[in-house]
Amino acid sequence: VKHPHSDSMYCPKCGQGLATTVPEGDLHERLVCLDCQFVHYLNPSPVAGVVPVRDDGKVLLIRRDIEPQRGLWQVPSGFVEMDESTEETAARELMEEAGLGLSGELQLLNVYTARWGLVVINYEGVAQGEASVEHEVSEVRWFAPAELPWTELAFQSTESALREWMRRRGLGTPEPWATAFEG
Ligand SMILES: [Zn+2]
């Protein structure tokens, strides 16, 4: 699968084309500049999100208004910025995508690895305020555990987080996994 960074096939130091090879002393293939020996490391990008929970036990999901997976549901989440902690990213995305704040500390739910270049860190948090439809979102909705839309989830990372959230409450989840889209 195409890595999100694989378009940059030229050496950022000298501009020559990069070759794929295993550098001496390394165990993985890397993109290496055969001119100046620069090694262009590719590593996964971290994404952070939060399963927002209300005092009636419902959780909020957002419906995507952008591709990929437009029209399907996900946990509010996004890419971690350079100056953020993952908790700060999760809180910012919750506000940007659903207009919600948080009260109290975030609790780590799980970490999901998509092997094409993403690591998704999802928290659980107590939501504060009124949810609203924000940027790149077509709908926000509170779901009771029995109402969760397992067959309409956008990403395996969302399904993984919701399964862990259910497991901690002693609630069963569907078998097998419902979501095909790795990410
Ligand atoms: Zn170079």
Side-chain angles (χ1 to χ4, degrees), residues 14-30:
C14 76
Q16 292 299 308
L18 296 173
T20 301
T21 184
V22 180
E24 196 180 330
D26 205 333
L27 297 171
H28 288 87
E29 283 195 330
R30 308 288 180 193

Side-chain angles (χ1 to χ4, degrees), residues 141-178:
R141 196 190 296 175
W142 292 98
F143 293 93
E147 302 165 346
L148 284 167
W150 297 103
T151 59
E152 294 174 63
L153 299 179
F155 304 117
Q156 288 180 356
S157 57
T158 285
E159 181 167 350
S160 166
L162 291 174
R163 282 176 175 276
E164 176 60 16
W165 184 80
M166 297 282 280
R167 193 189 67 78
R168 292 185 187 187
R169 279 155 189 77
L171 300 169
T173 51
E175 291 292 342
W177 278 49

Side-chain angles (χ1 to χ4, degrees), residues 54 60 94-95 98-101 127-134 140 142:
R54 213 164 59 172
L60 181 124
L94 179 61
M95 180 56 72
L100 285 173
Q128 200 165 46
E130 286 296 311
S132 53
V133 172
E134 301 292 340
V140 295
W142 292 98

Side-chain angles (χ1 to χ4, degrees), residues 11 14 33 36:
C11 177
C14 76
C33 177
C36 77

Side-chain angles (χ1 to χ4, degrees), residues 10-18 32-39:
Y10 295 91
C11 177
K13 285 185 79 176
C14 76
Q16 292 299 308
L18 296 173
V32 179
C33 177
L34 300 179
D35 242 44
C36 77
Q37 311 306 316
F38 178 82
V39 180

